[in-house]
């Protein structure tokens, strides 16, 4: 999903991570689920290169608003912080509905509410299978993936639906 909007980003990530793995030769690595797509790419890097590394997936640490914590949020102005909190409410309300009944109408409603609130750029808002990141129509082993811009700051997150 992110690669469609950040061409070459994951190529750079895998190149650097592979160099680090070769230099350090870790037996275990810890990656957070906040950037779940990156975690899956690192998982594939380990498998494809037959590396003897145990990938430990670390759950996202979430703020009181339900959003994954990110250092980039520390750059929010007071106005952006207020808008971010409102976006979190919109996402969490729709997330509850998606957990009850996964359907396109709720996904569309989430996007429309964010747009009506003033989020002009939403890169994606999709439910994907967490094993292979294919589109999913069921909650089991699926996550909501979302990326949007709050002014010039890119907000990404994913939410377990089961």
């Amino acid at each position: 999903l992110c690669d469609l909007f950040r061409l070459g980003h994951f190529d750079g990530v895998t190149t650097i991570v592979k160099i680090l793995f070769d230099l350090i030769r870790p037996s275990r690595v810890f990656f957070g689920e906040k950037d779940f797509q990156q975690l899956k790419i690192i998982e594939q890097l380990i498998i494809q290169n037959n590396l003897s590394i145990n990938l430990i997936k670390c759950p996202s640490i979430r703020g009181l608003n339900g959003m994954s914590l990110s250092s980039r949020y520390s750059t929010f102005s007071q106005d952006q912080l207020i808008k971010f909190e409102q976006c979190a409410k919109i996402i969490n309300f729709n997330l509850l509905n998606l957990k009850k009944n996964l359907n396109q109408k709720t996904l569309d409603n989430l996007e429309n509410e964010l747009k009506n609130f003033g989020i002009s750029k939403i890169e994606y808002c999709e439910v994907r299978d967490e094993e292979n990141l294919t589109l999913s129509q069921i909650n089991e082993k699926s996550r909501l993936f979302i990326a949007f811009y709050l002014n010039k700051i890119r907000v990404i997150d994913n939410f377990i639906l089961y």
Side-chain angles (χ1 to χ4, degrees):
L1 295 168
C2 281
D3 206 39
L4 294 173
F5 300 95
R6 302 174 78 199
L7 297 176
H9 171 73
F10 289 129
D11 293 335
V13 168
T14 54
T15 299
I16 296 302
V17 170
K18 178 68 167 74
I19 290 169
L20 287 171
F21 286 173
D22 290 345
L23 288 171
I24 298 169
R25 301 203 181 277
S27 57
R28 285 175 280 169
V29 293
F30 299 80
F31 279 80
E33 291 182 348
K34 179 188 186 312
D35 195 335
F36 195 81
Q37 296 169 72
Q38 180 172 281
L39 183 148
K40 293 303 286 183
I41 287 170
I42 299 303
E43 182 178 67
Q44 284 304 304
L45 172 78
I46 291 169
I47 292 167
Q48 289 173 356
N49 289 279
N50 200 26
L51 302 174
S52 297
I53 298 174
N54 183 14
L55 173 64
I56 293 140
K57 300 171 185 173
C58 304
S60 294
I61 299 171
R62 297 193 176 274
L64 295 175
N65 63 7
M67 300 294 285
S68 292
L69 297 181
S70 174
S71 59
R72 70 181 70 172
Y73 303 153
S74 66
T75 64
F76 282 158
S77 67
Q78 188 61 33
D79 183 53
Q80 288 171 313
L81 192 56
I82 291 167
K83 287 181 179 178
F84 180 66
E85 292 297 322
Q86 186 60 40
C87 288
K89 287 179 184 175
I90 292 168
I91 292 167
N92 283 302
F93 175 78
N94 285 281
L95 184 61
L96 288 174
N97 290 335
L98 281 172
K99 286 181 177 182
K100 290 177 196 170
N101 182 20
L102 177 59
N103 60 60
Q104 189 60 46
K105 182 179 178 185
T106 304
L107 281 173
D108 292 342
N109 187 60
L110 170 55
E111 282 196 61
N112 289 333
E113 284 187 46
L114 288 172
K115 286 176 182 173
N116 290 338
F117 179 68
I119 301 300
S120 59
K121 186 173 183 181
I122 299 172
E123 290 182 339
Y124 53 82
C125 179
E126 298 179 2
V127 173
R128 299 267 175 161
D129 180 286
E130 65 181 23
E131 290 301 315
N132 57 24
L133 298 180
T134 57
L135 285 169
S136 180
Q137 308 232 340
I138 60 172
N139 286 3
E140 188 177 330
K141 295 201 178 216
S142 293
R143 292 173 183 251
L144 168 66
F145 290 88
I146 189 164
F148 61 91
Y149 280 85
L150 188 54
N151 297 350
K152 294 185 181 206
I153 299 173
R154 188 169 188 261
V155 175
I156 65 165
D157 213 331
N158 68 87
F159 302 88
I160 296 172
L161 294 177
Y162 53 93

